[in-house]
Amino acid sequence: MSVPIPLRGDFEASQLRGLAKKTKDGPQARRLLALAAIYDGAKRSEAAKIGGVGLQIIRDWVLRFNARGPDGLLDGKSPGQPSKLNDVQRRAIERMIETGPIAAIHGVVRWRLIDLAQWIFEEFRITIAKQT
């Protein structure tokens, strides 16, 4: 059996419990309470029961806590979908909107979303829904 990774020495169980009480993030509070139990001398398996997770997750929490402190126990924001357009393309669209369409070239007298989506496809070969 391997030796557990020690928790950082600049915190105590009472501090973690106080932070858990103050936080508005439920998962962070649960993680803080599990780590507070470890500071109090509980086994990692007991902390896993408190946190409702397995031993591997407790290890991950310890690593995150050691690296970034209590903020390391917050869930990060998902990065989401990457943007279809780069900055140069966005500036080109801004210029096109500011100058307005040329009726003889674009076939419209004012931009509608569907017209801009069509122009983006013709210019950059990128398909964008009008809801975007």
Side-chain angles (χ1 to χ4, degrees):
M1 190 171 216
S2 64
V3 177
I5 298 169
L7 286 167
R8 57 193 286 173
D10 55 342
F11 282 93
E12 294 179 358
S14 60
Q15 289 175 300
L16 293 187
R17 285 192 180 88
L19 291 170
K21 188 184 260 189
K22 291 178 186 174
T23 186
K24 303 227 184 284
D25 186 82
Q28 182 193 27
R30 181 172 48 95
R31 294 169 187 145
L32 287 167
L33 291 173
L35 294 185
I38 295 172
Y39 272 118
D40 280 338
K43 293 184 178 184
R44 303 286 167 120
S45 57
E46 294 169 19
K49 286 180 185 178
I50 291 169
V53 295
L55 288 174
Q56 180 63 45
I57 300 297
I58 292 293
R59 180 186 178 277
D60 295 343
W61 290 353
V62 168
L63 291 174
R64 288 168 50 186
F65 179 74
N66 285 345
R68 296 185 306 240
D71 290 339
L73 299 176
L74 288 167
D75 288 331
K77 185 177 182 218
S78 174
Q81 288 282 356
S83 178
K84 288 187 174 187
L85 301 171
N86 61 34
D87 291 336
V88 173
Q89 294 167 332
R90 281 193 202 94
R91 284 193 295 277
I93 293 168
E94 287 174 15
R95 283 192 304 274
M96 186 56 69
I97 291 171
E98 289 173 3
T99 60
I102 301 170
I105 297 173
H106 301 111
V108 295
V109 293
R110 64 178 175 83
W111 287 123
R112 299 175 299 169
L113 293 176
I114 193 94
D115 300 324
L116 286 171
Q118 180 64 33
W119 180 83
I120 291 169
F121 178 76
E122 291 170 0
E123 191 72 19
F124 306 116
R125 293 293 182 232
I126 296 174
T127 305
I128 295 181
K130 67 180 182 179
Q131 294 84 2
T132 304

